[in-house]
Amino acid sequence: MEFAELIKTPRADNVVLHRPFYLAVEGTLCLTGHHLIFSSRRQDNAEELWLLHSNIDSIEKRFVGSLGTIIIKCKDLRIIQLDIPGMEECLNIASSIEALSTLDSVTLMYPFFYRPMFEIVEDGWRSFLPDQEFELLSSVTDEWRLSCINKEFSVCPSYPPVVIVPKSIDDEALRKVAMFRHGSRFPVLSYYHKKNGMVMMRSSQPLTGTNGRRCKEDEKLINATLRPGKRGYIIDTRSLSVAQQARAKGGGFEQEVHYPQWRRIHKCIERFNILQESLIKLVEACNDQSHNMDRWLSKLEASNWLTHIKEILTAACLAAQCIDREGASVLVHGTEGTDSTLQVTSLAQIILDPRCRTIRGFESLVVREWLQAGHPFQQRCAQSAYSNGKQKWEAPVFLLFLDCVWQILRQFPCSFEFNEQFLIMLFEHAYASQFGTFLGNNENERSKLKLPQKTMSLWSWVNRSEELRKFQNPLFEANSLVIWPSVAPQSLQLWEGVFLRWNRPSKFLDEAHEEMINIIKYNKELQAKVNALRRQLAEMETDDKM
Amino acid sequence: MEHIRMPKVENVRLLDRLSSRKAALGTLYLTATHVIFVENGSETRKETWVLHSQISSIEKQATTATGCPLLIRCKNFQVIQLVIPQERDCHDIYISLIRLARPVKYEELYCFSFNPKLDKEEREQGWKLIDLNEEYNRMGIPNNYWQISDVNRDYGVCDSYPTEVYVPKSATAHIIVGSSKFRSRRRFPALSYFCKDNNASICRSSQPLSGFSARCLEDEQMLQAIRKANPGGDFIYVVDTRPKLNAIANRAAGKGYENEDNYSNIKFQFIGIENIHVMRNSLQKMLEVCELKSPSMSDFLWGLENSGWLKHIKAIMDAGIFIAKAVAEEGVSVLVHCSDGWDRTAQVCSVASLLLDPYYRTVKGFMVLIEKDWVSFGHKFNHRYGNLDGDPKEISPVIDQFIECVWQLMEQLPCAFEFNERFLIHIQHHIYSCQFGNFLCNSQKERRELKIQERTYSLWAHLWKNRADYLNPLYRSDHSQTQGTLHPQMAPCNFLYKFWSGMYNRFEKGLHPRQSVTDYLMAVKEETQQLEEELGILQERLANLQKSQLDNDKDKSKQQDQSKQLGLFNSSNSLANTPQEYSSDLKSFPSRSPSQGDEEDSALILTQDNLKSSDPDLSANSDQESGVEDLSCRSPSGGGCLPSEDSGKDSDEAVFLAV
């Protein structure tokens, strides 16, 4: 398909762009296959706005006489308005944007066309390989092995080709366990707690059904992770009643009789459309420009967004507490094991493992616990807060995770190597990107799409020093401790950096951030100067003596 | 002392509000000024001190099998839950505290016994730190339009006003006295702030006694004099900070508001800030939300909304913003009043001054501001904050709201204020503590009669001495945010008002960010200063060395010492190490669990939660070392929240300052 067919009016002049907190600007609008480009060529203030079509969540058009207005709502929550003279031009442009922002085929997406303008220092597709991860693990324990059972994605379509499992369980047993778990997602290692050797595993629900099916291999597998005489905890991210209902559909949960060494805890993390609706309501509240304080608070409350944050964080803290404080191993699952499960396992690692609070460590966490673990990004992030089509699969699962990380970052502002901008950047790229990283729903799809060969990895771009600089937290000091966040309502806040980003002027806050960087930069410069002088003096003094 | 029936009770338990299973066993002491709880055992012997004047309510709850619970709520938002083994002891303590918490004469207050070991001269110097005449001079007054008036020198015109009042030059004594007779409690229009740049001013008064039709020539002349004192302004705004309905209701009582027809060239404006009773109830409702045990997000947000607290804060801010805009942007003078002109008027005038003038955003300037708009103009501290036993309906968090407005502004404009959050919290604390004489009584007249300055100490001197603890590291006097009028986000600003957990959940340390950016940056800045000094020394030495190539061996050891000192960041972040209760399920496990042998163990681990470091909150311990560590493990100066003169025997209140 040629994009040109979709673009009947590639260019319109005298278009006026409106954005909150900026004066309206007049300029030229151009449409390309992947971008909407607005440029004002005023001498004093030449500026360009580039918007990926894939970033557009919804568009509305209005006409007053022959002046058309298009309101574009983006997945990154920004709203812009374009006034386009000429009815026909406006209609053409609107229909082009509509078509181009809802392309069916992944291979038509921008990452397949994007040619980087920067030098690639490190191929991000090869930055976080499972072998490296396993090597690290092997240096502290020999109880685990790397299994290639899923090499052709034949056992579990949503798992990566290699997974880490207990050494004592062979591939044959794994095959049987896979039959007993939803979507064949058998328990695999998620995290090894070096401090006490306890582990966190994740899987999908067991297929016990109504008649209480059991699977000896499954029991053996998860028991293999226990120390003699020790107990473990199963954290089911569903409420007990939801888990019980799942039995009617062939799912279920681990029966105590068959798993006597395990204690099951039910937490209640919402899924799919409930989360999506929550996001829609929250963003609606944030965009409400009325002056009524009561309405704002009740809308914030009614969105339930912070309730979800609290539930997810609480479950993650619980998992971390079981591991670190109780000295017990943990298995986490919900239904499919691709959403709430991953929120819990990844957040627990941020709490427990200082490495996950570094930039590279966090990237590695996103790769392991989200991309390789088979979180269906393409389905979940197809639409954002302005979607009207109620697609069943869309849900801001990853955004909720990032929000939770931000909450922890806010409570421990000196313990993270990255800053808020880093999290916002990941949110943006998960929804619309020039990079192939978040395309596809799992490793299987990514390999079929040949993403590593045909697209650029986000990590190739981020991990260059020019970019990294923007994402570094000036206050960072390695903190080797477990960090326990507070989940009390008083401690949780709306993530303004994302939800009010386009609705408030950020000048004062940006200046404060700038000031912070300067204070620390100046300190470091002085330190370097003093050290250099000391050395010079010491040398001169020894020379002197000689 | 005669009110203390029971000076000491043993085996009392202090409950942790966040976790009922964390209780400390210890001894309760009652002194003439404090309630003290000392934990048993453990090397630290953690102590909790509460000043009697901080107690806002004492509640004796139904006796249970474990003892008799006593709930003490404090005006600085600390809540203490004690369980006393014997009902009789509990009753005695309760009766004693009821009396001790409600002193009947000023002499019973702590400031009359508090002795920071300063000599007479130091005390006098302390009171001289803030001088309002100097402040009006700074504003450029007296000048061609404004003068000081001695019409009130013996409090003859208005007993709640200061002796020295600034009025328009053209307002004769006759006009002032005439106007004062037409105003509630004779609080005639007087100058609060003068804007040097454009001659616009903010004046304040009480409501006019206009009833339905009364008028007063002198009052009309007074307003005209105010307008004429600003040659550039064609009119003045008269801002009535009450809701219109309240103002109308006042007319029936012979009070009311200015009729635009009777006054020439005024623009009258209502700004609906609710009265002290609404505010008291609103705070009460919000504190109930803060006290909820493990509330859900909905409970919390719903309760916060229902309390209306943030709505009221916003109303005060909006009024302040309106006035600041009128003065700075329109160059128009403003007369502000409410009913008596000592609550809402004080809030609004001080918010407007703060927005207009960067000086009030400095440590010293903020003290001046409170002295100017609150202390000198007769804000009824004693009635509003219940220092002496009085009418509970007079109590209202008026200045608390102003302090919160400042905090909300600090959140929106992080570089604009020289001081930090701790400064605000300590001021709030001392408005209630009665440890210093500044906020005693209801007016300047009463304070003079009591000879406050000769018998007590000034808080301002105390804060000034410790100002290093109160600095905002992001403040730079040459930063754009510190220049001129502040323009906080005004249009869609609902979501910019936030719940202030640092104040209202001040003692629940577990709820706050575990690492303080402020303390961290202050430590960096302090290190930077040391580095600058060392750099100077090193450069000098280098120059000397290069010049003479002298042997400098002897200095070497000194340098090494210094380099050690500089390694000041160590991550001893004990607070990071304490989980909350994340699951109510978890604790019930052991009972459900089949024989695993170690169930008791695991239950214990969950309940202990690393007690020692986890809750400096309720403890506010007098063990100053550990208190400091909890506060700001990053600050090389130890956070220094503990004012130095409190380090001796009189260190009592220092512990509450452990913010």
Side-chain angles (χ1 to χ4, degrees):
Chain A
M1 186 186 68
E2 288 291 321
F3 293 121
E5 287 169 24
L6 297 173
I7 306 172
K8 287 187 205 114
T9 303
R11 177 194 160 112
D13 289 318
N14 305 321
V15 173
V16 179
L17 168 72
H18 302 268
R19 289 163 296 180
F21 304 110
Y22 288 91
L23 293 175
V25 228
E26 195 182 287
T28 304
L29 181 71
C30 294
L31 290 186
T32 73
H34 294 104
H35 285 97
L36 175 158
I37 304 157
F38 176 89
S39 45
S40 80
R41 294 258 176 266
R42 290 222 323 265
Q43 271 138 357
D44 53 330
N45 181 21
E47 65 164 305
E48 279 192 1
L49 173 79
W50 287 63
L51 202 63
L52 264 179
H53 291 314
S54 56
N55 188 6
I56 294 170
D57 209 20
S58 78
I59 97 162
E60 288 163 24
K61 42 186 188 287
R62 281 203 304 257
F63 289 95
V64 179
S66 67
L67 180 75
T69 292
I70 301 179
I71 294 167
I72 296 176
K73 300 183 173 180
C74 302
K75 290 173 186 168
D76 62 14
L77 309 183
R78 157 172 40 178
I79 298 178
I80 61 169
Q81 182 188 326
L82 296 167
D83 297 340
I84 302 168
M87 171 97 81
E88 198 191 332
E89 285 83 354
C90 184
L91 280 172
N92 283 344
I93 286 168
S95 70
S96 299
I97 294 175
E98 234 159 293
L100 290 165
S101 61
T102 52
L103 296 172
D104 294 330
S105 167
V106 184
T107 52
L108 291 175
M109 304 289 270
Y110 187 49
F112 287 92
F113 298 83
Y114 170 71
R115 291 292 160 262
M117 303 292 281
F118 57 84
E119 194 199 343
I120 294 141
V121 190
E122 174 192 341
D123 180 6
W125 290 111
R126 307 194 52 79
S127 291
F128 306 101
L129 298 175
D131 313 26
Q132 296 161 1
E133 201 56 38
F134 184 70
E135 221 168 275
L136 276 176
L137 180 69
S138 316
S139 65
V140 284
T141 171
D142 59 356
E143 290 164 12
W144 299 83
R145 72 184 180 92
L146 212 50
S147 166
C148 300
I149 185 178
N150 201 35
K151 205 164 189 173
E152 311 293 330
F153 304 102
S154 52
V155 175
C156 172
S158 63
Y159 267 180
V162 285
V163 288
I164 302 174
V165 293
K167 205 171 206 173
S168 56
I169 306 297
D170 62 22
D171 282 358
E172 216 31 60
L174 287 181
R175 259 180 251 280
K176 287 187 182 149
V177 178
M179 308 276 282
F180 182 63
R181 292 272 170 181
H182 189 122
S184 305
R185 293 172 67 92
F186 53 87
V188 295
L189 182 76
S190 162
Y191 171 67
Y192 181 89
H193 197 45
K194 270 185 236 159
K195 191 168 130 193
N196 60 9
M198 294 301 132
V199 298
M200 180 160 58
M201 288 181 301
R202 53 176 159 77
S203 69
S204 59
Q205 65 178 346
L207 301 174
T208 54
T210 37
N211 48 11
R213 242 181 91 204
R214 63 187 285 198
C215 170
K216 284 272 164 60
E217 287 79 6
D218 190 77
E219 293 156 23
K220 199 176 150 208
L221 192 165
I222 73 163
N223 285 337
T225 65
L226 292 178
R227 293 280 153 82
K230 281 280 191 176
R231 281 181 321 182
Y233 290 92
I234 294 171
I235 296 177
D236 192 324
T237 61
R238 305 163 294 179
S239 69
L240 181 61
S241 62
V242 172
Q244 276 164 344
Q245 283 159 22
R247 288 193 298 201
K249 293 187 200 147
F253 51 84
E254 293 81 357
Q255 308 271 318
E256 278 168 44
V257 276
H258 301 144
Y259 298 84
Q261 285 154 285
W262 294 80
R263 300 289 150 259
R264 212 177 56 245
I265 305 174
H266 289 276
K267 284 277 151 188
C268 180
I269 300 179
E270 295 293 353
R271 312 173 355 115
F272 302 136
N273 57 326
I274 292 180
L275 300 180
Q276 185 70 10
E277 269 164 37
S278 172
L279 175 66
I280 291 170
K281 278 189 195 162
L282 175 68
V283 171
E284 214 176 82
C286 292
N287 286 337
D288 181 359
Q289 307 284 314
S290 80
H291 292 245
N292 187 323
M293 177 66 74
D294 288 351
R295 220 163 84 198
W296 157 245
L297 284 173
S298 68
K299 279 183 157 187
L300 178 64
E301 191 264 319
S303 79
N304 273 326
W305 183 264
L306 288 169
T307 301
H308 301 314
I309 296 288
K310 183 167 153 63
E311 279 164 0
I312 295 164
L313 266 177
T314 307
C317 289
L318 176 68
Q321 196 176 8
C322 289
I323 292 169
D324 187 67
R325 292 299 165 116
E326 283 280 78
S329 285
V330 170
L331 168 67
V332 184
H333 70 71
T335 306
E336 294 90 351
T338 53
D339 294 284
S340 56
T341 305
L342 305 182
Q343 288 172 330
V344 172
T345 57
S346 51
L347 286 168
Q349 291 180 54
I350 284 166
I351 293 164
L352 292 169
D353 187 357
R355 194 169 62 111
C356 294
R357 297 173 224 143
T358 64
I359 291 181
R360 252 199 123 79
F362 190 77
E363 291 171 355
S364 159
L365 182 78
V366 170
V367 171
R368 268 184 290 127
E369 293 296 300
W370 290 88
L371 291 161
Q372 291 172 356
H375 174 66
F377 276 98
Q378 196 168 309
Q379 287 180 346
R380 299 286 180 267
C381 302
Q383 295 251 267
S384 161
Y386 303 117
S387 63
N388 23 29
K390 294 213 166 145
Q391 294 258 8
K392 198 181 158 197
W393 304 116
E394 289 150 8
V397 177
F398 187 62
L399 176 58
L400 277 161
F401 159 70
L402 294 175
D403 195 332
C404 290
V405 177
W406 178 80
Q407 303 284 351
I408 307 177
L409 169 63
R410 205 188 67 82
Q411 294 186 26
F412 294 91
C414 307
S415 297
F416 288 80
E417 192 190 4
F418 50 86
N419 60 17
E420 179 180 5
Q421 292 311 314
F422 185 65
L423 299 173
I424 296 173
M425 178 274 294
L426 288 174
F427 157 61
E428 288 177 334
H429 283 278
Y431 279 85
S433 175
Q434 66 269 46
F435 303 107
T437 300
F438 291 106
L439 290 182
N441 288 308
N442 49 50
E443 291 296 273
N444 188 5
E445 289 185 18
R446 283 181 204 109
S447 103
K448 279 184 190 146
L449 289 166
K450 298 199 167 43
L451 291 180
Q453 293 83 39
K454 293 188 169 168
T455 72
M456 179 61 48
S457 162
L458 172 67
W459 316 124
S460 308
W461 171 72
V462 171
N463 288 334
R464 294 169 313 125
S465 53
E466 306 91 293
E467 293 303 323
L468 278 180
R469 216 174 294 140
K470 293 182 215 153
F471 302 128
Q472 271 155 354
N473 173 9
L475 306 175
F476 176 61
E477 263 187 59
N479 172 359
S480 61
L481 297 171
V482 176
I483 54 175
W484 299 107
S486 163
V487 296
Q490 289 97 320
S491 310
L492 303 177
Q493 288 192 357
L494 177 72
W495 188 7
E496 296 178 16
V498 164
F499 297 108
L500 302 180
R501 183 176 174 194
W502 312 101
N503 307 340
R504 57 155 196 198
S506 59
K507 180 172 164 263
F508 299 135
L509 300 176
D510 293 345
E511 282 173 356
H513 190 71
E514 192 73 14
E515 195 63 32
M516 213 180 272
I517 290 172
N518 288 339
I519 289 171
I520 286 164
K521 205 170 107 193
Y522 178 55
N523 176 277
K524 294 212 165 118
E525 282 168 11
L526 268 184
Q527 231 156 29
K529 264 191 210 162
V530 166
N531 286 339
L533 263 183
R534 274 195 208 136
R535 233 170 301 142
Q536 196 185 345
L537 273 167
E539 271 164 28
M540 287 178 76
E541 279 161 358
T542 33
D543 286 353
D544 236 30
K545 268 186 239 163
M546 285 157 69
Chain B
M1 288 307 265
E2 72 269 28
H3 307 301
I4 300 171
R5 294 167 159 223
M6 193 80 195
K8 178 180 170 187
V9 186
E10 284 177 343
N11 294 319
V12 172
R13 280 180 307 135
L14 176 70
L15 303 186
D16 185 319
R17 231 167 55 64
L18 292 179
S19 154
S20 52
R21 289 168 299 127
K22 288 192 216 165
L25 194 67
T27 306
L28 187 72
Y29 297 91
L30 234 54
T31 75
T33 51
H34 287 86
V35 185
I36 307 159
F37 178 83
V38 183
E39 263 179 51
N40 284 350
S42 80
E43 326 75 74
T44 52
R45 287 178 67 79
K46 216 151 90 174
E47 295 173 13
T48 306
W49 294 61
V50 176
L51 257 175
H52 296 328
S53 48
Q54 285 290 1
I55 296 175
S56 72
S57 77
I58 312 140
E59 207 179 293
K60 214 173 93 184
Q61 294 165 326
T63 310
T64 66
T66 50
C68 191
L70 196 66
L71 187 67
I72 303 174
R73 289 195 182 84
C74 300
K75 295 168 180 173
N76 59 4
F77 311 114
Q78 185 169 22
V79 180
I80 290 179
Q81 279 179 287
L82 298 166
V83 180
I84 297 168
Q86 297 297 321
E87 209 279 331
R88 214 171 41 97
D89 293 344
C90 183
H91 185 72
D92 282 349
I93 296 279
Y94 174 74
I95 295 293
S96 307
L97 279 181
I98 289 265
R99 176 60 188 83
L100 291 166
R102 289 171 200 165
V104 291
K105 40 181 213 296
Y106 284 116
E107 281 72 13
E108 289 178 50
L109 294 174
Y110 186 38
C111 55
F112 291 100
S113 57
F114 173 66
N115 179 7
K117 302 204 181 73
L118 295 177
D119 59 35
K120 184 161 167 279
E121 198 184 331
E122 283 171 303
R123 187 180 63 206
E124 282 168 4
Q125 280 309 114
W127 282 108
K128 283 184 190 142
L129 181 70
I130 304 300
D131 178 345
L132 285 185
N133 280 327
E134 219 170 79
E135 167 57 10
Y136 285 96
N137 288 339
R138 189 195 65 86
M139 287 184 209
I141 296 220
N143 61 11
N144 286 338
Y145 307 108
W146 295 89
Q147 65 181 9
I148 191 164
S149 163
D150 64 351
V151 68
N152 200 38
R153 62 186 168 274
D154 304 315
Y155 305 104
V157 177
C158 173
D159 61 1
S160 61
Y161 263 18
T163 48
E164 286 166 340
V165 192
Y166 293 82
V167 292
K169 247 188 179 160
S170 58
T172 59
H174 171 74
I175 291 178
I176 297 172
V177 172
S179 165
S180 78
K181 287 180 181 156
F182 190 63
R183 295 271 165 184
S184 275
R185 304 189 192 264
R186 314 192 75 188
R187 293 170 65 91
F188 57 88
L191 184 74
S192 163
Y193 180 72
F194 176 77
C195 181
K196 239 189 308 204
D197 301 339
N198 59 8
N199 290 324
S201 63
I202 303 174
C203 291
R204 55 184 291 174
S205 70
S206 61
Q207 64 187 339
L209 303 176
S210 54
F212 290 101
S213 58
R215 47 191 297 191
C216 164
L217 185 65
E218 290 86 353
D219 194 59
E220 288 160 26
Q221 287 171 333
M222 185 75 189
L223 265 62
Q224 207 159 14
I226 292 171
R227 179 175 63 80
K228 284 185 180 152
N230 176 12
D234 301 330
F235 63 94
I236 63 169
Y237 281 110
V238 175
V239 172
D240 189 328
T241 56
R242 299 169 292 182
K244 190 172 181 182
L245 216 61
N246 302 17
I248 290 174
N250 263 299
R251 286 210 299 202
K255 300 166 190 169
Y257 53 92
E258 291 80 357
N259 183 340
E260 275 185 340
D261 299 336
N262 298 343
Y263 294 82
S264 53
N265 303 315
I266 67 163
K267 281 194 183 171
F268 187 85
Q269 178 84 35
F270 281 115
I271 295 186
I273 302 174
E274 297 291 348
N275 65 26
I276 56 168
H277 311 294
V278 174
M279 299 307 192
R280 179 177 57 246
N281 292 334
S282 172
L283 177 67
Q284 184 55 38
K285 279 187 190 164
M286 185 175 72
L287 291 180
E288 279 164 22
V289 177
C290 297
E291 266 189 56
L292 288 176
K293 245 186 183 169
S294 55
S296 72
M297 204 71 220
S298 293
D299 294 339
F300 178 74
L301 288 175
W302 190 85
L304 188 61
E305 184 208 325
N306 193 42
S307 77
W309 182 258
L310 289 175
K311 186 175 70 185
H312 299 315
I313 296 293
K314 183 172 179 287
I316 297 164
M317 283 295 300
D318 286 347
I321 289 168
F322 175 87
I323 293 163
K325 269 182 139 175
V327 169
E329 289 170 20
E330 299 181 57
V332 172
S333 294
V334 185
L335 171 67
V336 187
H337 69 73
C338 44
S339 296
D340 291 317
W342 50 39
D343 293 318
R344 285 168 277 202
T345 300
Q347 290 175 330
V348 169
C349 287
S350 48
V351 168
S353 296
L354 194 74
L355 291 170
L356 283 166
D357 195 330
Y359 176 64
Y360 299 125
R361 292 171 233 142
T362 64
V363 170
K364 184 90 161 273
F366 192 69
M367 299 172 181
V368 168
L369 183 64
I370 289 183
E371 201 64 36
K372 167 173 84 79
D373 279 327
W374 297 81
V375 178
S376 85
F377 272 107
H379 176 63
K380 301 201 293 173
F381 282 93
N382 175 39
H383 286 165
R384 294 293 172 262
Y385 313 116
N387 297 341
L388 292 189
D389 192 24
D391 181 359
K393 287 210 164 61
E394 281 281 320
I395 292 175
S396 187
V398 181
I399 201 168
D400 301 62
Q401 289 184 314
F402 165 64
I403 291 174
E404 174 164 344
C405 286
V406 182
W407 178 80
Q408 300 280 2
L409 277 172
M410 277 164 53
E411 285 286 290
Q412 293 181 36
L413 298 136
C415 305
F417 292 84
E418 191 191 14
F419 47 85
N420 59 29
E421 181 186 18
R422 192 181 295 146
F423 186 57
L424 297 179
I425 291 173
H426 285 195
I427 290 175
Q428 192 273 352
H429 177 94
H430 284 299
I431 281 165
Y432 291 93
S433 76
C434 300
Q435 182 179 344
F436 298 92
N438 305 60
F439 308 121
L440 246 47
C441 306
N442 292 320
S443 66
Q444 191 185 70
K445 181 167 176 257
E446 287 180 32
R447 277 188 293 276
R448 292 219 173 142
E449 281 163 6
L450 260 183
K451 299 197 192 314
I452 291 293
Q453 300 207 354
E454 288 140 61
R455 299 164 72 192
T456 71
Y457 294 85
S458 167
L459 170 67
W460 305 133
H462 169 82
L463 294 177
W464 184 249
K465 204 165 106 193
N466 298 293
R467 61 188 176 278
D469 301 335
Y470 302 124
L471 295 180
N472 169 15
L474 297 175
Y475 177 85
R476 239 189 320 118
S477 55
D478 56 347
H479 194 280
S480 64
Q481 283 187 34
T482 62
Q483 313 300 312
T485 306
L486 277 189
H487 295 283
Q489 174 50 25
M490 281 170 237
C493 50
N494 294 329
F495 37 64
L496 294 174
Y497 291 90
K498 288 181 277 195
F499 171 73
W500 188 8
S501 69
M503 177 64 90
Y504 304 105
N505 283 117
R506 179 181 157 194
F507 290 87
E508 274 85 47
K509 285 285 181 282
L511 301 182
H512 304 159
R514 311 305 170 88
Q515 295 172 323
S516 156
V517 174
T518 299
D519 290 343
Y520 181 91
L521 289 176
M522 280 318 286
V524 171
K525 282 186 110 169
E526 196 163 317
E527 190 198 45
T528 300
Q529 211 181 340
Q530 288 172 20
L531 283 168
E532 274 171 345
E533 281 162 23
E534 194 189 349
L535 191 67
I537 296 168
L538 288 177
Q539 276 165 342
E540 202 178 308
R541 275 184 58 204
L542 188 68
N544 288 342
L545 205 63
Q546 280 165 338
K547 236 192 271 168
S548 61
Q549 294 285 316
L550 280 175
D551 187 33
N552 269 338
D553 263 11
K554 54 193 171 209
D555 277 4
K556 226 176 176 177
S557 57
K558 194 179 145 207
Q559 288 309 318
Q560 276 163 357
D561 280 353
Q562 255 186 345
S563 62
K564 260 182 234 151
Q565 238 179 42
L566 292 172
L568 40 84
F569 307 120
N570 51 349
S571 303
S572 60
N573 201 324
S574 54
L575 272 178
N577 251 341
T578 54
Q580 286 185 337
E581 279 174 38
Y582 297 116
S583 171
S584 49
D585 305 337
L586 204 49
K587 61 189 169 200
S588 54
F589 274 160
S591 54
R592 276 204 267 138
S593 75
S595 60
Q596 276 300 321
D598 58 352
E599 47 215 36
E600 279 200 343
D601 254 352
S602 51
L604 258 180
I605 292 170
L606 282 180
T607 47
Q608 275 176 352
D609 278 355
N610 190 0
L611 276 176
K612 207 166 110 189
S613 56
S614 67
D615 38 9
D617 36 318
L618 286 178
S619 60
N621 51 49
S622 74
D623 174 356
Q624 301 202 344
E625 296 280 25
S626 65
V628 167
E629 238 176 63
D630 285 335
L631 300 173
S632 53
C633 47
R634 290 186 179 273
S635 166
S637 61
C641 305
L642 309 174
S644 51
E645 68 248 53
D646 298 321
S647 53
K649 271 251 161 167
D650 286 302
S651 72
D652 315 348
E653 58 65 74
V655 295
F656 304 148
L657 292 176
V659 176

